[in-house]
Amino acid sequence: MEKGLKSKTYIVRGLMEWEIVFPTGHALLPEVKVRFEGGQITGYGVAPARYTTDEPLIQRLIESSRWYKSGRIKLQK
C-alpha cells in the first residue's frame, strides 16, 4: 500500500464468495473484476465475504455501483 492511500474493506452478507465485473468505460481498461471472499458459516454465526483495496479507482467503482447504493455491498466499519 502506498503512503497516503486509505485501505477500505467492503463486505457482502450471506455469501461465501462473489465476483463482480465493473465496466469502467475506458478503452485501455474496459472492466475491473472484484472478488469478495472469505464468507463462512460458523458455530458463532455467518461471516460475510470481504474485499479490501487501497486503490481509489476500485473504491470509486464499488461505491458508485447499484449494489453499494442498495446496501448489498457495505463498507466495513
Side-chain angles (χ1 to χ4, degrees):
M1 182 167 76
E2 290 184 35
K3 186 176 180 181
L5 295 179
K6 183 178 177 187
S7 180
K8 293 184 179 182
T9 298
Y10 299 93
I11 60 172
V12 179
R13 298 189 190 281
L15 294 177
M16 305 274 238
E17 57 185 49
W18 186 27
E19 183 174 274
I20 306 172
V21 178
F22 292 103
T24 64
H26 296 283
L28 296 176
L29 183 65
E31 62 187 29
V32 172
K33 291 182 183 178
V34 172
R35 186 172 182 87
F36 290 82
E37 299 179 303
Q40 54 186 309
I41 299 171
T42 69
Y44 299 101
V46 180
R50 302 176 190 284
Y51 178 78
T52 302
T53 183
D54 62 354
E55 293 293 327
L57 169 67
I58 297 175
Q59 292 172 357
R60 194 167 39 254
L61 287 172
I62 291 172
E63 292 173 13
S64 65
S65 74
R66 67 178 187 218
W67 297 289
Y68 187 84
K69 291 176 182 177
S70 71
R72 181 70 174 133
I73 298 173
K74 297 182 184 253
L75 184 61
Q76 183 178 15
K77 296 179 182 182

Coordinates of all heavy atoms in Angstrom, one line a residue:
M1 N 0.8 -1.2 0.0 CA 0.0 0.0 0.0 C 0.9 1.2 0.0 O 1.8 1.3 0.8 CB -0.9 0.0 1.2 CG -1.8 1.1 1.3 SD -3.2 1.0 2.5 CE -2.3 1.3 4.0
E2 N 0.6 2.2 -0.9 CA 1.3 3.4 -1.0 C 1.0 4.3 0.2 O -0.1 4.3 0.7 CB 1.0 4.1 -2.3 CG 1.6 3.4 -3.5 CD 1.3 4.2 -4.8 OE1 1.4 5.4 -4.7 OE2 1.1 3.6 -5.8
K3 N 2.0 5.1 0.6 CA 1.7 6.1 1.6 C 0.6 7.1 1.3 O 0.6 7.6 0.1 CB 3.0 6.8 1.9 CG 3.0 7.7 3.1 CD 4.3 8.4 3.4 CE 4.2 9.3 4.6 NZ 5.5 9.9 4.8
G4 N -0.3 7.3 2.2 CA -1.4 8.3 1.9 C -2.6 7.7 1.4 O -3.7 8.3 1.4
L5 N -2.6 6.4 0.9 CA -3.8 5.8 0.4 C -4.5 5.1 1.5 O -3.9 4.4 2.3 CB -3.5 4.8 -0.7 CG -2.9 5.4 -2.0 CD1 -2.7 4.3 -3.0 CD2 -3.9 6.4 -2.6
K6 N -5.8 5.2 1.6 CA -6.6 4.6 2.7 C -7.2 3.3 2.2 O -7.9 3.2 1.2 CB -7.7 5.5 3.1 CG -8.5 5.0 4.3 CD -9.5 6.0 4.7 CE -10.3 5.3 5.9 NZ -11.5 6.1 6.2
S7 N -6.9 2.2 2.9 CA -7.4 0.9 2.6 C -8.9 0.8 3.2 O -9.2 1.3 4.3 CB -6.6 -0.2 3.3 OG -7.1 -1.4 3.0
K8 N -9.8 0.3 2.3 CA -11.2 0.1 2.7 C -11.5 -1.4 2.5 O -11.1 -2.0 1.6 CB -12.1 1.0 1.9 CG -11.9 2.4 2.1 CD -13.0 3.2 1.3 CE -12.9 4.7 1.5 NZ -13.9 5.4 0.7
T9 N -12.3 -1.9 3.5 CA -12.8 -3.3 3.4 C -14.3 -3.2 3.2 O -15.1 -2.6 3.9 CB -12.5 -4.1 4.6 OG1 -11.1 -4.1 4.8 CG2 -13.1 -5.5 4.5
Y10 N -14.8 -3.9 2.1 CA -16.2 -4.0 1.8 C -16.7 -5.4 2.1 O -15.9 -6.3 2.0 CB -16.4 -3.7 0.3 CG -15.9 -2.3 -0.1 CD1 -14.7 -2.1 -0.6 CD2 -16.8 -1.2 0.0 CE1 -14.2 -0.8 -0.9 CE2 -16.3 0.1 -0.3 CZ -15.1 0.3 -0.8 OH -14.6 1.5 -1.1
I11 N -17.9 -5.5 2.5 CA -18.5 -6.8 2.9 C -19.8 -7.0 2.2 O -20.5 -6.1 1.8 CB -18.7 -6.9 4.4 CG1 -19.7 -5.9 4.9 CG2 -17.4 -6.9 5.2 CD1 -20.1 -6.1 6.4
V12 N -20.1 -8.3 2.0 CA -21.4 -8.8 1.4 C -21.9 -9.9 2.3 O -21.3 -10.9 2.4 CB -21.2 -9.3 0.0 CG1 -22.5 -9.8 -0.6 CG2 -20.6 -8.3 -0.9
R13 N -23.0 -9.6 3.0 CA -23.5 -10.6 3.9 C -24.3 -11.7 3.1 O -24.9 -11.5 2.1 CB -24.5 -9.9 4.9 CG -23.8 -8.9 5.7 CD -24.7 -8.4 6.8 NE -24.1 -7.3 7.5 CZ -23.2 -7.3 8.4 NH1 -22.7 -8.5 8.8 NH2 -22.7 -6.2 9.0
G14 N -24.2 -12.9 3.7 CA -25.0 -14.0 3.1 C -24.3 -14.8 2.0 O -24.9 -15.7 1.4
L15 N -23.1 -14.4 1.6 CA -22.4 -15.1 0.5 C -21.0 -15.5 1.0 O -20.4 -14.9 1.8 CB -22.2 -14.1 -0.7 CG -23.5 -13.7 -1.4 CD1 -23.1 -12.7 -2.5 CD2 -24.2 -14.9 -2.0
M16 N -20.6 -16.7 0.5 CA -19.3 -17.2 0.7 C -18.2 -16.5 -0.1 O -17.1 -16.1 0.3 CB -19.2 -18.7 0.5 CG -20.2 -19.5 1.2 SD -19.6 -19.8 2.8 CE -19.8 -21.6 2.8
E17 N -18.6 -16.3 -1.4 CA -17.8 -15.5 -2.3 C -18.7 -15.0 -3.4 O -19.7 -15.5 -3.7 CB -16.6 -16.4 -2.9 CG -17.1 -17.6 -3.6 CD -15.9 -18.5 -4.0 OE1 -15.0 -18.7 -3.2 OE2 -15.9 -18.9 -5.2
W18 N -18.1 -13.9 -4.1 CA -18.9 -13.3 -5.2 C -17.9 -12.5 -6.0 O -17.1 -11.7 -5.5 CB -19.9 -12.3 -4.5 CG -20.9 -11.7 -5.5 CD1 -21.3 -12.1 -6.7 CD2 -21.6 -10.4 -5.3 NE1 -22.2 -11.3 -7.2 CE2 -22.4 -10.2 -6.4 CE3 -21.6 -9.5 -4.3 CZ2 -23.2 -9.1 -6.5 CZ3 -22.4 -8.4 -4.4 CH2 -23.2 -8.2 -5.5
E19 N -18.0 -12.7 -7.3 CA -17.1 -11.9 -8.2 C -18.0 -11.0 -9.1 O -19.0 -11.5 -9.7 CB -16.3 -12.9 -9.1 CG -15.4 -12.1 -10.1 CD -14.5 -13.0 -10.8 OE1 -13.4 -13.4 -10.3 OE2 -14.8 -13.4 -12.0
I20 N -17.6 -9.7 -9.1 CA -18.4 -8.7 -9.8 C -17.4 -8.1 -10.9 O -16.3 -7.9 -10.6 CB -18.9 -7.6 -8.9 CG1 -19.7 -8.1 -7.8 CG2 -19.7 -6.6 -9.7 CD1 -20.0 -7.0 -6.7
V21 N -18.0 -7.9 -12.1 CA -17.2 -7.3 -13.1 C -17.8 -5.9 -13.3 O -19.0 -5.7 -13.7 CB -17.3 -8.1 -14.5 CG1 -16.5 -7.3 -15.6 CG2 -16.8 -9.5 -14.3
F22 N -17.0 -4.9 -13.0 CA -17.4 -3.5 -13.1 C -16.9 -2.9 -14.5 O -15.7 -2.9 -14.7 CB -16.8 -2.6 -12.0 CG -17.4 -2.9 -10.7 CD1 -16.7 -3.7 -9.8 CD2 -18.6 -2.5 -10.3 CE1 -17.2 -4.0 -8.5 CE2 -19.1 -2.8 -9.0 CZ -18.4 -3.5 -8.1
P23 N -17.8 -2.4 -15.3 CA -17.3 -1.7 -16.5 C -16.8 -0.4 -16.1 O -17.3 0.3 -15.3 CB -18.6 -1.6 -17.4 CG -19.7 -1.7 -16.4 CD -19.3 -2.5 -15.2
T24 N -15.7 0.0 -16.8 CA -15.0 1.3 -16.4 C -15.3 2.4 -17.5 O -15.2 3.6 -17.1 CB -13.5 1.2 -16.4 OG1 -13.0 0.8 -17.7 CG2 -13.1 0.1 -15.3
G25 N -15.7 2.0 -18.7 CA -15.9 3.0 -19.7 C -14.6 3.5 -20.4 O -14.7 4.4 -21.2
H26 N -13.5 2.9 -20.1 CA -12.2 3.3 -20.7 C -11.7 2.2 -21.7 O -11.9 1.0 -21.3 CB -11.2 3.5 -19.6 CG -11.5 4.6 -18.7 ND1 -11.3 6.0 -19.1 CD2 -12.0 4.7 -17.5 CE1 -11.7 6.7 -18.1 NE2 -12.1 6.0 -17.1
A27 N -11.2 2.6 -22.8 CA -10.7 1.6 -23.8 C -9.5 0.8 -23.3 O -9.4 -0.4 -23.6 CB -10.3 2.3 -25.1
L28 N -8.6 1.4 -22.5 CA -7.4 0.7 -22.1 C -7.7 -0.3 -20.9 O -7.0 -1.3 -20.8 CB -6.3 1.6 -21.7 CG -5.8 2.5 -22.8 CD1 -4.8 3.5 -22.2 CD2 -5.1 1.7 -23.8
L29 N -8.7 0.0 -20.2 CA -9.1 -0.9 -19.0 C -10.7 -0.9 -19.0 O -11.3 -0.2 -18.3 CB -8.6 -0.3 -17.7 CG -8.9 -1.1 -16.5 CD1 -8.2 -2.5 -16.5 CD2 -8.5 -0.3 -15.2
P30 N -11.2 -1.8 -19.9 CA -12.7 -1.8 -20.1 C -13.5 -2.3 -18.9 O -14.6 -2.0 -18.7 CB -12.9 -2.6 -21.3 CG -11.7 -3.5 -21.5 CD -10.6 -2.7 -20.8
E31 N -12.8 -3.2 -18.0 CA -13.5 -3.7 -16.9 C -12.6 -4.0 -15.8 O -11.4 -4.2 -16.0 CB -14.3 -5.0 -17.3 CG -13.5 -6.1 -17.8 CD -14.3 -7.3 -18.3 OE1 -15.4 -7.1 -18.8 OE2 -13.8 -8.4 -18.2
V32 N -13.1 -4.1 -14.6 CA -12.3 -4.4 -13.4 C -13.1 -5.5 -12.7 O -14.3 -5.4 -12.4 CB -12.1 -3.2 -12.5 CG1 -11.5 -3.7 -11.1 CG2 -11.3 -2.2 -13.1
K33 N -12.4 -6.6 -12.4 CA -13.1 -7.7 -11.6 C -12.7 -7.6 -10.1 O -11.6 -7.4 -9.8 CB -12.6 -9.1 -12.1 CG -13.0 -9.4 -13.5 CD -12.6 -10.8 -13.9 CE -13.0 -11.1 -15.3 NZ -12.5 -12.4 -15.8
V34 N -13.8 -7.7 -9.3 CA -13.6 -7.6 -7.9 C -14.2 -8.9 -7.3 O -15.3 -9.3 -7.6 CB -14.4 -6.4 -7.3 CG1 -14.4 -6.4 -5.8 CG2 -13.8 -5.1 -7.8
R35 N -13.3 -9.6 -6.5 CA -13.7 -10.9 -5.9 C -13.8 -10.8 -4.4 O -12.8 -10.6 -3.7 CB -12.7 -11.9 -6.3 CG -13.2 -13.3 -5.9 CD -12.2 -14.4 -6.5 NE -12.6 -15.7 -6.1 CZ -13.5 -16.4 -6.8 NH1 -14.1 -15.9 -7.9 NH2 -13.8 -17.6 -6.4
F36 N -15.1 -10.9 -3.9 CA -15.3 -11.0 -2.5 C -15.1 -12.4 -2.0 O -15.6 -13.3 -2.7 CB -16.7 -10.5 -2.1 CG -17.0 -9.1 -2.4 CD1 -17.3 -8.6 -3.6 CD2 -17.0 -8.2 -1.3 CE1 -17.5 -7.2 -3.8 CE2 -17.2 -6.8 -1.5 CZ -17.5 -6.4 -2.8
E37 N -14.3 -12.6 -1.0 CA -14.0 -14.0 -0.5 C -14.1 -14.0 1.0 O -14.1 -13.0 1.7 CB -12.6 -14.4 -1.0 CG -12.5 -14.4 -2.5 CD -11.1 -14.8 -2.9 OE1 -10.1 -14.1 -2.4 OE2 -10.9 -15.8 -3.6
G38 N -14.0 -15.3 1.5 CA -13.9 -15.5 3.0 C -15.1 -15.6 3.8 O -15.1 -15.7 5.0
G39 N -16.3 -15.6 3.1 CA -17.5 -15.7 3.8 C -17.6 -17.2 4.3 O -17.2 -18.1 3.7
Q40 N -18.2 -17.3 5.5 CA -18.3 -18.7 6.0 C -19.4 -18.8 7.1 O -19.8 -17.8 7.7 CB -17.0 -19.2 6.6 CG -16.4 -18.2 7.6 CD -15.0 -18.7 8.1 OE1 -14.8 -19.8 8.4 NE2 -14.0 -17.8 8.0
I41 N -19.9 -20.0 7.3 CA -20.9 -20.2 8.3 C -20.1 -20.9 9.4 O -19.5 -21.9 9.2 CB -22.0 -21.1 7.8 CG1 -22.7 -20.4 6.6 CG2 -23.0 -21.5 8.9 CD1 -23.7 -21.3 5.9
T42 N -20.2 -20.4 10.6 CA -19.5 -21.0 11.8 C -20.5 -21.2 12.9 O -21.7 -20.9 12.8 CB -18.4 -20.0 12.3 OG1 -19.1 -18.9 12.9 CG2 -17.5 -19.5 11.2
G43 N -20.0 -21.8 13.9 CA -20.9 -22.1 15.1 C -21.3 -20.8 15.8 O -22.2 -20.8 16.6
Y44 N -20.6 -19.7 15.5 CA -20.9 -18.4 16.1 C -21.7 -17.5 15.2 O -22.1 -16.4 15.6 CB -19.6 -17.7 16.4 CG -18.7 -18.5 17.4 CD1 -17.6 -19.2 16.9 CD2 -19.0 -18.5 18.7 CE1 -16.9 -19.9 17.8 CE2 -18.3 -19.2 19.6 CZ -17.2 -20.0 19.2 OH -16.4 -20.7 20.0
G45 N -22.0 -17.9 14.0 CA -22.8 -17.1 13.1 C -22.3 -17.2 11.7 O -21.5 -18.1 11.3
V46 N -22.6 -16.2 10.9 CA -22.2 -16.1 9.5 C -21.2 -15.0 9.3 O -21.6 -13.8 9.6 CB -23.4 -16.0 8.5 CG1 -23.0 -15.9 7.1 CG2 -24.4 -17.1 8.8
A47 N -20.1 -15.3 8.7 CA -19.1 -14.2 8.4 C -19.3 -13.8 7.0 O -19.4 -14.6 6.1 CB -17.7 -14.8 8.6
P48 N -19.4 -12.5 6.7 CA -19.6 -12.0 5.3 C -18.4 -12.2 4.5 O -17.2 -12.2 4.9 CB -19.9 -10.6 5.5 CG -19.2 -10.2 6.8 CD -19.3 -11.4 7.7
A49 N -18.6 -12.3 3.2 CA -17.5 -12.3 2.2 C -16.9 -10.8 2.2 O -17.6 -9.9 2.4 CB -18.0 -12.6 0.8
R50 N -15.6 -10.7 2.0 CA -14.9 -9.4 2.1 C -14.0 -9.2 0.9 O -13.5 -10.1 0.2 CB -14.0 -9.4 3.3 CG -14.6 -9.7 4.6 CD -13.6 -9.8 5.7 NE -14.1 -10.2 7.0 CZ -14.9 -9.6 7.8 NH1 -15.2 -8.3 7.5 NH2 -15.4 -10.1 8.9
Y51 N -13.8 -7.9 0.7 CA -12.8 -7.4 -0.3 C -12.2 -6.2 0.2 O -12.9 -5.2 0.6 CB -13.5 -7.1 -1.7 CG -12.6 -6.6 -2.7 CD1 -11.7 -7.5 -3.4 CD2 -12.5 -5.3 -3.0 CE1 -10.8 -7.0 -4.3 CE2 -11.6 -4.8 -4.0 CZ -10.8 -5.7 -4.6 OH -9.9 -5.2 -5.5
T52 N -10.9 -6.1 0.2 CA -10.1 -5.0 0.7 C -9.3 -4.4 -0.4 O -8.6 -5.1 -1.1 CB -9.2 -5.4 1.9 OG1 -10.0 -5.9 3.0 CG2 -8.5 -4.2 2.5
T53 N -9.3 -3.1 -0.5 CA -8.5 -2.4 -1.5 C -8.0 -1.0 -1.0 O -8.7 -0.4 -0.3 CB -9.2 -2.3 -2.9 OG1 -8.3 -1.7 -3.8 CG2 -10.5 -1.4 -2.8
D54 N -6.9 -0.6 -1.6 CA -6.5 0.8 -1.3 C -6.4 1.6 -2.6 O -5.9 2.7 -2.7 CB -5.1 0.8 -0.6 CG -4.0 0.2 -1.4 OD1 -4.3 -0.4 -2.5 OD2 -2.8 0.3 -1.0
E55 N -7.0 1.0 -3.7 CA -7.0 1.6 -5.0 C -8.2 2.6 -5.1 O -9.3 2.1 -5.1 CB -7.1 0.6 -6.1 CG -5.8 -0.3 -6.2 CD -4.6 0.5 -6.7 OE1 -4.8 1.5 -7.5 OE2 -3.5 0.2 -6.3
P56 N -8.0 3.9 -5.3 CA -9.1 4.8 -5.4 C -10.1 4.5 -6.5 O -11.3 4.7 -6.4 CB -8.4 6.2 -5.6 CG -7.0 6.0 -5.0 CD -6.7 4.5 -5.3
L57 N -9.5 4.0 -7.7 CA -10.4 3.7 -8.8 C -11.4 2.6 -8.4 O -12.6 2.7 -8.7 CB -9.6 3.3 -10.0 CG -10.4 2.7 -11.2 CD1 -11.3 3.7 -11.8 CD2 -9.5 2.1 -12.2
I58 N -10.9 1.6 -7.8 CA -11.8 0.4 -7.4 C -12.8 0.9 -6.3 O -13.9 0.5 -6.4 CB -10.9 -0.8 -7.0 CG1 -10.1 -1.3 -8.2 CG2 -11.8 -1.9 -6.5 CD1 -9.1 -2.4 -7.9
Q59 N -12.3 1.7 -5.4 CA -13.2 2.2 -4.4 C -14.3 3.0 -5.0 O -15.5 2.9 -4.6 CB -12.4 3.0 -3.3 CG -11.5 2.2 -2.5 CD -10.6 3.0 -1.6 OE1 -10.6 4.3 -1.7 NE2 -9.8 2.4 -0.8
R60 N -14.0 3.8 -6.0 CA -15.0 4.6 -6.6 C -16.0 3.8 -7.4 O -17.2 4.0 -7.4 CB -14.3 5.7 -7.6 CG -15.2 6.7 -8.0 CD -14.4 7.9 -8.7 NE -13.3 7.6 -9.5 CZ -12.0 7.7 -9.1 NH1 -11.7 8.2 -8.0 NH2 -11.0 7.4 -10.0
L61 N -15.5 2.7 -8.1 CA -16.3 1.8 -8.9 C -17.3 1.1 -7.9 O -18.5 1.0 -8.2 CB -15.5 0.8 -9.6 CG -14.8 1.3 -10.9 CD1 -13.9 0.2 -11.4 CD2 -15.7 1.7 -11.9
I62 N -16.8 0.6 -6.8 CA -17.7 -0.1 -5.9 C -18.7 0.9 -5.3 O -19.9 0.6 -5.3 CB -16.9 -0.7 -4.7 CG1 -16.0 -1.9 -5.3 CG2 -17.8 -1.2 -3.6 CD1 -15.0 -2.5 -4.3
E63 N -18.3 2.1 -4.8 CA -19.2 3.0 -4.2 C -20.2 3.7 -5.1 O -21.2 4.2 -4.6 CB -18.4 4.0 -3.4 CG -17.6 3.3 -2.2 CD -16.7 4.2 -1.5 OE1 -16.7 5.5 -1.6 OE2 -15.9 3.7 -0.7
S64 N -20.0 3.6 -6.4 CA -20.9 4.2 -7.3 C -21.8 3.1 -7.9 O -22.7 3.4 -8.8 CB -20.2 5.0 -8.4 OG -19.4 4.1 -9.2
S65 N -21.6 1.8 -7.5 CA -22.4 0.7 -8.1 C -23.8 0.7 -7.5 O -24.1 1.1 -6.4 CB -21.7 -0.6 -7.9 OG -21.8 -1.0 -6.5
R66 N -24.7 0.0 -8.2 CA -26.1 -0.2 -7.7 C -26.1 -1.1 -6.5 O -26.9 -0.9 -5.7 CB -26.9 -0.8 -8.9 CG -26.6 -2.2 -9.3 CD -27.5 -2.7 -10.3 NE -27.2 -4.1 -10.5 CZ -27.2 -4.7 -11.7 NH1 -27.5 -4.0 -12.8 NH2 -26.9 -6.0 -11.8
W67 N -25.1 -2.0 -6.4 CA -25.1 -2.9 -5.3 C -24.7 -2.2 -4.0 O -25.2 -2.5 -2.9 CB -24.1 -4.1 -5.5 CG -24.5 -4.9 -6.7 CD1 -25.6 -5.8 -6.7 CD2 -23.9 -5.0 -7.9 NE1 -25.7 -6.3 -8.0 CE2 -24.6 -5.9 -8.7 CE3 -22.8 -4.3 -8.5 CZ2 -24.3 -6.2 -10.0 CZ3 -22.5 -4.6 -9.8 CH2 -23.2 -5.5 -10.6
Y68 N -23.8 -1.2 -4.1 CA -23.4 -0.4 -2.9 C -24.6 0.5 -2.5 O -24.9 0.7 -1.4 CB -22.1 0.4 -3.2 CG -21.6 1.1 -2.0 CD1 -20.8 0.4 -1.1 CD2 -21.9 2.4 -1.8 CE1 -20.2 1.1 0.0 CE2 -21.4 3.1 -0.7 CZ -20.6 2.4 0.2 OH -20.0 3.1 1.3
K69 N -25.2 1.2 -3.5 CA -26.2 2.1 -3.3 C -27.5 1.4 -2.7 O -28.2 2.0 -1.9 CB -26.6 2.8 -4.6 CG -25.5 3.8 -5.0 CD -25.9 4.4 -6.3 CE -24.8 5.4 -6.8 NZ -25.0 6.0 -8.1
S70 N -27.7 0.2 -3.0 CA -28.8 -0.6 -2.5 C -28.6 -1.2 -1.1 O -29.5 -1.8 -0.5 CB -29.3 -1.7 -3.5 OG -28.3 -2.7 -3.5
G71 N -27.3 -1.2 -0.7 CA -26.9 -1.8 0.6 C -26.5 -3.2 0.5 O -26.2 -3.9 1.5
R72 N -26.4 -3.8 -0.7 CA -26.0 -5.2 -0.9 C -24.5 -5.3 -0.5 O -24.0 -6.2 0.1 CB -26.2 -5.7 -2.3 CG -25.8 -7.1 -2.6 CD -26.7 -8.0 -1.9 NE -26.4 -9.4 -2.2 CZ -26.3 -10.4 -1.3 NH1 -26.5 -10.2 -0.1 NH2 -26.0 -11.6 -1.7
I73 N -23.7 -4.3 -1.0 CA -22.3 -4.2 -0.6 C -22.2 -3.1 0.5 O -22.8 -2.0 0.3 CB -21.4 -3.8 -1.8 CG1 -21.4 -4.9 -2.8 CG2 -20.0 -3.6 -1.3 CD1 -20.7 -4.5 -4.1
K74 N -21.5 -3.3 1.6 CA -21.4 -2.3 2.6 C -19.9 -2.1 3.0 O -19.1 -3.0 2.8 CB -22.1 -2.8 3.9 CG -23.6 -3.0 3.7 CD -24.3 -3.4 5.0 CE -25.7 -3.6 4.8 NZ -26.6 -2.6 5.3
L75 N -19.6 -0.9 3.5 CA -18.3 -0.6 3.9 C -18.2 -1.1 5.4 O -19.0 -0.8 6.2 CB -18.1 0.9 3.8 CG -16.7 1.4 4.2 CD1 -15.6 0.8 3.3 CD2 -16.7 2.9 4.1
Q76 N -17.1 -1.9 5.6 CA -17.0 -2.4 7.0 C -16.5 -1.3 7.9 O -15.6 -0.6 7.5 CB -16.0 -3.6 7.0 CG -15.8 -4.2 8.4 CD -14.8 -5.3 8.3 OE1 -14.1 -5.5 7.4 NE2 -14.8 -6.1 9.4
K77 N -17.1 -1.2 9.1 CA -16.7 -0.2 10.0 C -15.6 -0.6 10.9 O -15.4 -1.7 11.2 CB -17.9 0.3 10.8 CG -19.0 0.9 9.9 CD -20.2 1.3 10.7 CE -21.2 1.8 9.7 NZ -22.4 2.3 10.3

